[in-house]
Amino acid sequence: MANKILVTGGTGYIGSHTVVELQLSGYEVIIIDDLSNSSSEVLKNIEKITGIKPGFEQFNLIDKDKTEDFFIRNEGIQAIIHFAASKAVGESVEKPLMYYRNNLVTLMNLLECQIKFSIPNIVFSSSCTVYGQPDVLPVTEQTPRKDAESPYGNTKRVNEDILRDTIFANHQLKGIALRYFNPIGAHPSALIGELPLGVPQNLVPFVTQTAAGLRKELNVFGDDYNTIDGSAVREYINVVDLAKAHVIAIERLLNGKNKLNYEIFNLGTGTGVSVLQIIKGFENATGIKLNYKIVARRAGDIEQIWADTVYANEELGWTAEKDWKKLYFRHGSGKNM
Ligand code: WQD
């Protein structure tokens, strides 16, 4: 009997790639997603890749009754990977209450059900945004978290505290928070990728949609940062590499390999890349000239961040394989550029 894993936000970008890797590793997967930022088409494409249609229920975890009812009807779940959340830094500055409600209440509902229905393991989708603008780079798991520069980053930091304190108060629970940097790219099949509904908030989907003529022009938010070329620096990690790390984290918990009941890992590549370098890299990889212009900085953005990846490399036995330059860039239709 395969281990049954619940993936919340499983039709989303990182969630769908993680569902594929879980299924390919022999896990039975059931997804909860409210489809607010993804399409149910993703379920068909997951099945095309793995030959297995994941279980799926459409609702938002903010509805406690529906969440409880789900667990009453779905026994035998051994672990949860929790992705479901709003995740755009810029948008969170404009809509803080939506972000605090959606990202905090959903986790609390989930944890209460985990305790009530005796599901011991959870992997939480955290983020490098909990570091705010670090004073020292690269960041390690010991780098002090700072006040996030955006409500989104704050919700991830508070989520981590909610998870940590709930685990400390309930010894039967074990959890791993994975702090990732900027996920980009798509599954080699091009059947799943970063397919946000509406205007993309993140850089790479905006780049690919501009190149595909779906967007008129890309705005580069600031070139007056104290970085290699003035544009902001991030660490871009391939989404399939990221998905594989989630399977490793689940196996660590299921096999009792975790050293503490609450563990944190940075998932990065160790390389910082600027916005203008991403644009140049895209143009070189595709031969397509991008139409972009430099505009003012975006509220909530930090200047630069990248990770020291030694702890995840050694403790998890996981290393990001794909260099951002070798990434295939795909636009909404999932076609290779
Ligand atoms: C990257 C850079 C922008 C859009 C993301 C996720 C968040 C978290 C951390 C996982 C910034 C610039 C962007 C555009 C631009 N990941 N940019 N023009 O803000 O680093 O956060 O990674 O949890 O969920 O949102 O990512 O892609 O929005 O921005 O110039 O049209 O690209 O200013 O410097 P960000 P992003």
Side-chain angles (χ1 to χ4, degrees), residues 6 8 15-16 24 40 91 116 119 124 128 142 154 176 192 202-203 215 247 284 291 296 298 335:
L6 164 61
T8 74
S16 57
L24 294 177
S40 57
E91 184 187 49
K116 182 171 182 178
I119 301 168
F124 172 63
C128 62
Q142 284 68 46
N154 237 5
I176 293 177
I192 53 176
N202 294 122
L203 176 65
R215 304 286 159 208
V247 179
N284 295 340
N291 181 24
R298 178 176 68 177
K335 251 187 20 262

Side-chain angles (χ1 to χ4, degrees), residues 9 36-37 40 57 87 103 165 190 269 301:
S36 59
N37 193 26
S40 57
E57 293 204 18
K87 63 130 190 160
N103 290 3
D165 296 344
T269 63
D301 276 347

Side-chain angles (χ1 to χ4, degrees), residues 132-145:
Q133 176 55 64
D135 298 328
V136 177
L137 287 169
V139 293
T140 70
E141 286 78 2
Q142 284 68 46
T143 298
R145 296 178 307 171

Side-chain angles (χ1 to χ4, degrees), residues 14 86-90 125-129 152 156 178-184 194 200-207 217-222 225 231-236 242 273-275 279 293 295-298 300-303 305:
I14 309 169
S86 303
K87 63 130 190 160
V89 170
S125 164
S126 189
S127 163
C128 62
T129 42
Y152 163 77
K156 286 300 181 183
L178 297 176
R179 292 174 179 166
Y180 10 100
F181 291 71
N182 292 45
I184 67 169
E194 190 165 13
Q201 299 277 332
N202 294 122
L203 176 65
V204 171
F206 212 111
V207 163
E217 186 177 54
L218 167 72
N219 289 325
V220 173
F221 296 132
Y225 287 105
S231 65
V233 171
R234 297 290 185 276
E235 179 168 308
Y236 296 93
L242 210 48
V273 182
S274 76
V275 175
I279 291 171
K293 74 171 185 253
V295 298
R297 295 181 178 188
R298 178 176 68 177
D301 276 347
I302 62 165
E303 178 174 85
I305 189 167

Side-chain angles (χ1 to χ4, degrees), residues 49-280:
I49 296 168
T50 64
I52 309 162
K53 188 171 175 63
F56 173 67
E57 293 204 18
Q58 180 181 353
F59 65 92
N60 189 316
L61 292 162
I62 210 157
D63 184 328
K64 182 74 183 293
D65 293 340
K66 282 189 179 169
T67 304
E68 285 223 357
D69 175 59
F70 168 87
F71 284 104
I72 291 166
R73 289 182 289 102
N74 290 278
E75 293 180 339
I77 292 171
Q78 281 98 354
I80 297 172
I81 305 183
H82 180 45
F83 291 105
S86 303
K87 63 130 190 160
V89 170
E91 184 187 49
S92 75
V93 175
E94 294 149 27
K95 303 175 184 169
L97 285 177
M98 178 192 105
Y99 269 70
Y100 283 111
R101 181 175 297 111
N102 193 42
N103 290 3
L104 303 188
V105 174
T106 47
L107 176 63
M108 287 188 270
N109 286 348
L110 194 63
L111 288 170
E112 284 170 343
C113 286
Q114 236 190 302
I115 293 163
K116 182 171 182 178
F117 296 95
S118 307
I119 301 168
N121 305 301
I122 181 167
V123 171
F124 172 63
S125 164
S126 189
S127 163
C128 62
T129 42
V130 302
Y131 295 113
Q133 176 55 64
D135 298 328
V136 177
L137 287 169
V139 293
T140 70
E141 286 78 2
Q142 284 68 46
T143 298
R145 296 178 307 171
K146 286 172 75 174
D147 284 347
E149 307 274 320
S150 70
Y152 163 77
N154 237 5
T155 66
K156 286 300 181 183
R157 178 188 161 129
V158 175
N159 275 159
E160 286 189 357
D161 295 348
I162 292 170
L163 179 59
R164 178 202 60 210
D165 296 344
T166 306
I167 288 172
F168 288 172
N170 296 273
H171 304 304
Q172 77 279 21
L173 293 184
K174 299 184 290 174
I176 293 177
L178 297 176
R179 292 174 179 166
Y180 10 100
F181 291 71
N182 292 45
I184 67 169
H187 188 269
S189 67
L191 287 166
I192 53 176
E194 190 165 13
L195 312 170
L197 303 183
V199 179
Q201 299 277 332
N202 294 122
L203 176 65
V204 171
F206 212 111
V207 163
T208 53
Q209 290 190 18
T210 305
L214 299 172
R215 304 286 159 208
K216 200 168 79 53
E217 186 177 54
L218 167 72
N219 289 325
V220 173
F221 296 132
D223 68 347
D224 56 351
Y225 287 105
N226 181 20
T227 62
I228 185 171
D229 56 21
S231 65
V233 171
R234 297 290 185 276
E235 179 168 308
Y236 296 93
I237 177 167
N238 178 269
V239 67
V240 174
D241 284 337
L242 210 48
K244 288 178 176 170
H246 287 74
V247 179
I248 292 172
I250 281 287
E251 282 165 356
R252 183 178 176 86
L253 294 174
L254 289 176
N255 301 331
K257 296 273 187 286
N258 55 299
K259 296 207 170 106
L260 297 168
N261 277 2
Y262 175 60
E263 294 181 311
I264 295 168
F265 293 93
N266 284 338
L267 298 182
T269 63
T271 310
V273 182
S274 76
V275 175
L276 291 172
Q277 286 175 322
I278 284 281
I279 291 171
K280 291 283 166 289

